[in-house]
Amino acid sequence: MDQNECDIVATLSPKSGKLDRVVELLSNLTKAVEKNEPGVFSFHLYKDFNAESGKEQLILVEKYTDMEAYDNHAEKPEFQAMHKTFKAEDLFTAPIIIKSVKPVTGFMR
């Protein structure tokens, strides 16, 4: 595991009836990231059930070559436009929670 890599886990809590719209926007972003951002190793969206709230939420797991690649990602026009849409359409029940995590142990085949 490269110590310069930057791993991000984001938790998104869409409002009732808005999950599909958020998935649509993130799917579009994923295509742009794959095509235009070589500093992104992986970019995966997962659906989860939050037992506490009783609602579905989305978990975005991202891996960047380094912090500079992550910073570059946040400055891309597609990223900025998506976040503008998130706000304009009032899609979430809570702010997006973003955590920068570091691997402790594990493997990838």
Side-chain angles (χ1 to χ4, degrees):
M1 292 178 240
D2 185 338
Q3 293 301 316
N4 290 325
E5 289 178 4
C6 177
D7 297 288
I8 302 294
V9 177
T11 303
L12 302 91
S13 301
K15 288 184 174 180
S16 293
K18 301 295 185 178
L19 184 121
D20 289 342
R21 177 65 173 141
V22 175
V23 169
E24 175 189 356
L25 292 167
L26 284 164
S27 294
N28 292 338
L29 179 66
T30 299
K31 291 173 191 167
V33 169
E34 183 177 21
K35 182 178 179 182
N36 301 314
E37 296 186 50
V40 181
F41 286 138
S42 63
F43 200 82
H44 296 278
L45 183 63
Y46 299 91
K47 196 184 295 186
D48 185 30
F49 182 77
N50 182 327
E52 190 175 302
S53 71
K55 297 184 181 197
E56 286 185 308
Q57 59 187 22
L58 297 169
I59 309 296
L60 186 60
V61 180
E62 311 163 48
K63 182 180 277 294
Y64 298 87
T65 53
D66 54 27
M67 197 63 186
E68 183 178 344
Y70 174 69
D71 291 341
N72 182 51
H73 167 73
E75 294 174 7
K76 293 288 185 188
E78 299 88 356
F79 179 90
Q80 296 291 329
M82 181 190 68
H83 277 274
K84 195 177 277 189
T85 301
F86 284 170
K87 189 172 186 169
E89 296 183 19
D90 193 27
L91 297 174
F92 299 102
T93 61
I96 298 170
I97 299 168
I98 300 172
K99 294 182 181 181
S100 178
V101 298
K102 292 290 179 197
V104 177
T105 186
F107 70 93
M108 221 161 77
R109 293 189 198 258

